[in-house]
Amino acid sequence: MAKKTQAREEVVLAPRTVEQLVTGIATSDGAGVKLTRVLTQPLQRRLDPFLMLDAFGSDDPGDYIAGFPDHPHRGFETVTYMIAGRMKHRDSAGHEGLLEDGGVQWMTAGRGVIHSEIPQQENGVMEGFQLWLNLPGRDKMRDPWYRDFGVGELPRFSGEGVTAIVIAGESHGVAGAVSRDATAPLYLDLHLAAGTRFAQALPPEHNAFVYVYRGEVTIAGRVVPARRMAILTNDSGADGVAIEAKAGGRALLVAGRPLGEPIAQYGPFVMNTEQEIYRALSDYREGRLA
Ligand code: FE
């Protein structure tokens, strides 16, 4: 059963504005899965603690069927949100899970996992997102952790034409599926009927963005169309965000506390220094990563 909780209002008196709209870059990853990288490496500093957002969506099996065979990660967390489709996860820490329509998989790579993500469908639509969340330096070499949540296990609330699925953090008094102390991530999937408005309080120093995946929304007078990410300003006087949907839309709202640490990335390894990256590479090559 989905947890349904009585939601309380969030008061937002001075909403943030839109700093920039981002289109993303069409690319492919894994064994040839077509996707759009929305949050790319040049935006990692601006959107600290988030390192990457990939959006995938296709009804052509050729775009997704090969999946992501065994590959390593170290130093951060991956959050996969499946809007539609079936994907099987298996990792070197012994975790296994089937991610299905509306489900979320949260994996903390920590000091290292080798995992695979393989589609369990031969046709139909596969649509979803993968978000990478950084770990603070002190946690980068922690033990790996894994959990998956079926659609019915994700906290949600609704009212007046708005449904909010709370993947991480807290919204309108509803605690999400996952919480993290260092980065305090907020991850909401918002379904907004035509003519509705959703307000969310946000600490001004937290970096935040909205990714629209259906319809369009308006934020502080700026229209954000589908398949665009709106980076929200961090005005010190702003206390949150207000998202309006004149004609209806669906969007992810993501926010978190910046770590302010150096970011050294080489592919699937994200550490603080180059030296730690060399260490990750040699650990992987010599079979010590996982
Ligand atoms: Fe992966």
Side-chain angles (χ1 to χ4, degrees):
M1 270 297 286
K3 281 184 224 162
K4 285 210 175 171
T5 319
Q6 191 62 44
R8 62 165 168 72
E9 270 308 298
E10 300 238 357
V11 179
V12 175
L13 299 173
R16 294 191 190 200
T17 54
V18 173
E19 178 179 293
Q20 190 191 344
L21 290 186
V22 175
T23 303
I25 294 165
T27 182
S28 71
D29 209 339
V33 178
K34 284 196 184 156
L35 52 85
T36 302
R37 188 142 297 159
V38 183
L39 196 176
T40 52
Q41 229 169 330
L43 290 169
Q44 286 176 339
R45 180 51 58 196
R46 175 63 189 88
L47 291 174
D48 180 11
F50 303 102
L51 297 164
M52 193 188 84
L53 177 70
D54 282 349
F56 50 92
S58 176
D59 57 6
D60 175 359
D63 290 345
Y64 60 73
I65 203 77
F68 302 86
D70 273 344
H71 60 280
H73 291 290
R74 174 180 278 181
F76 61 101
E77 310 191 72
T78 68
V79 186
T80 310
Y81 181 30
M82 189 69 95
I83 301 292
R86 282 160 66 84
M87 185 110 87
K88 188 168 197 162
H89 165 98
R90 207 176 251 150
D91 73 37
S92 53
H95 306 120
E96 222 181 284
L98 181 64
L99 188 60
E100 293 184 274
D101 298 5
V104 166
Q105 176 211 84
W106 195 296
M107 185 184 80
T108 306
R111 69 172 175 272
V113 294
I114 295 169
H115 76 151
S116 61
E117 299 152 293
I118 303 295
Q120 303 294 302
Q121 63 189 58
E122 267 142 40
N123 49 52
V125 175
M126 178 166 287
E127 181 183 15
F129 306 97
Q130 189 171 84
L131 178 71
W132 287 11
L133 169 63
N134 210 353
L135 286 167
R138 64 173 184 274
D139 290 339
K140 283 182 178 293
M141 295 298 278
R142 55 156 285 169
D143 289 343
W145 182 88
Y146 172 89
R147 257 223 64 188
D148 50 47
F149 304 87
V151 63
E153 295 174 293
L154 292 170
R156 66 179 62 214
F157 58 90
S158 40
E160 292 172 14
V162 175
T163 295
I165 298 154
V166 191
I167 296 167
E170 190 187 314
S171 178
H172 295 238
V174 176
V178 173
S179 66
R180 289 285 179 264
D181 289 339
T183 49
L186 175 75
Y187 188 171
L188 305 180
D189 178 17
L190 302 170
H191 300 185
L192 307 166
T196 59
R197 177 183 183 274
F198 178 84
Q200 174 66 48
L202 295 172
E205 70 279 12
H206 286 201
N207 291 325
F209 64 87
V210 171
Y211 181 76
V212 179
Y213 68 95
R214 291 278 193 291
E216 64 175 39
V217 304
T218 304
I219 300 171
R222 181 97 176 251
V223 172
V224 187
R227 294 179 293 283
R228 294 292 182 282
M229 171 172 72
I231 298 178
L232 305 181
T233 51
N234 292 67
D235 310 313
S236 58
D239 58 357
V241 60
I243 302 170
E244 295 173 73
K246 284 166 190 159
R250 292 188 182 197
L252 309 178
L253 169 59
V254 177
R257 182 191 296 129
L259 290 167
E261 295 180 3
I263 300 168
Q265 177 176 7
Y266 181 80
F269 309 123
V270 185
M271 304 301 287
N272 295 121
T273 67
E274 292 274 295
Q275 206 170 2
E276 290 167 337
I277 291 293
Y278 295 134
R279 178 70 198 275
L281 282 163
S282 64
D283 282 353
Y284 178 50
R285 279 195 214 105
E286 288 157 34
R288 288 190 307 254
L289 180 111

